[in-house]
Amino acid sequence: MKRAMPWNEQVDVISSDDSSSSDGDVEVGAGSGGKQSTNNMTIDQPAKEIISEGVVIRRAEMYQEYMKQIPIPSHHGSVIPFTSWMGLSKSIKQFYGQPLHYLTNILLKQWDQLRVGAEDEYRPLDTIIHPSKAEATIWLIEEVHRCTTSPHHIAKLWLSDPMHHGFVDPIFPKLGKTS
């Protein structure tokens, strides 16, 4: 199905109708710059990018504030067997019922990628690193990420990666009152 006129022309018709009804002396094609440039700025792509950047920064601030409120477990219940860092993180999330920070998830993925091509690549990781030490390492890194990460840094990373949602855990533990 063809349109009667291209999208750009439809916008021009609407904006010329708006400007002619409010200001009779402003000509759309005259290049006077006044109102015409202001109307175009509201539909330009850079304006949309600025708005979405602000939204992402606000979401990162909310995310970081939420992650700060989740307490790190003070004692560890049992030894969790694992073959990879991502496997251990999945087990930790299930066992403790809480998310890991976005940056922790990214780091653990990178650690698994570092093993590719190593002579012990296919050896289960819990036979190389003791499970208690590995879990303690994750919780230490998690504490650093929860307590010290800048929301602006997170927003910058999220803006550069359209698939960042894959590393933000959808686990929402019940939080105690923080007053």
Side-chain angles (χ1 to χ4, degrees), residues 17-28:
D17 286 344
D18 289 344
S19 63
S20 65
S21 64
S22 60
D23 289 337
D25 56 339
V26 177
E27 293 181 20
V28 175

Side-chain angles (χ1 to χ4, degrees), residues 31-172:
S32 59
K35 248 186 167 173
Q36 183 66 23
S37 63
T38 305
N39 287 344
N40 286 342
M41 290 176 76
T42 60
I43 60 172
D44 285 348
Q45 185 64 24
K48 289 180 183 177
E49 289 175 8
I50 291 170
I51 291 169
S52 66
E53 182 178 336
V55 168
V56 172
I57 289 171
R58 181 66 188 129
R59 285 182 184 158
E61 289 170 346
M62 290 169 42
Y63 175 78
Q64 187 62 22
E65 191 59 39
Y66 172 74
M67 291 303 288
K68 283 181 182 181
Q69 294 177 17
I70 303 171
I72 301 289
S74 57
H75 64 284
H76 308 290
S78 64
V79 174
I80 301 173
F82 62 101
T83 57
S84 67
W85 289 107
M86 292 297 289
L88 178 57
S89 73
K90 183 177 178 181
S91 296
I92 286 174
K93 293 170 199 178
Q94 290 175 347
F95 188 79
Y96 294 101
Q98 63 172 267
L100 291 179
H101 196 278
Y102 167 79
L103 293 175
T104 304
N105 287 324
I106 295 292
L107 183 62
L108 296 175
K109 178 186 173 194
Q110 290 172 345
W111 285 358
D112 278 340
Q113 290 172 340
L114 291 173
R115 295 188 67 204
V116 175
E119 66 181 49
D120 61 356
E121 174 183 359
Y122 297 106
R123 188 172 157 201
L125 199 54
D126 62 356
T127 63
I128 300 169
I129 300 171
H130 191 278
S132 296
K133 287 182 180 180
E135 183 180 344
T137 300
I138 289 176
W139 286 121
L140 177 62
I141 292 166
E142 182 67 12
E143 186 173 19
V144 169
H145 288 152
R146 288 183 186 182
C147 296
T148 65
T149 302
S150 162
H152 295 285
H153 178 70
I154 295 171
K156 180 181 168 185
L157 293 173
W158 286 357
L159 286 166
S160 68
D161 180 13
M163 300 303 290
H164 70 272
H165 297 300
F167 295 98
V168 176
D169 293 328
I171 302 169
F172 300 102

Side-chain angles (χ1 to χ4, degrees), residues 3-22:
R3 292 184 179 194
M5 61 178 70
W7 173 251
N8 290 343
E9 291 178 26
Q10 289 178 1
V11 172
D12 288 342
V13 170
I14 292 170
S15 60
S16 66
D17 286 344
D18 289 344
S19 63
S20 65
S21 64
S22 60

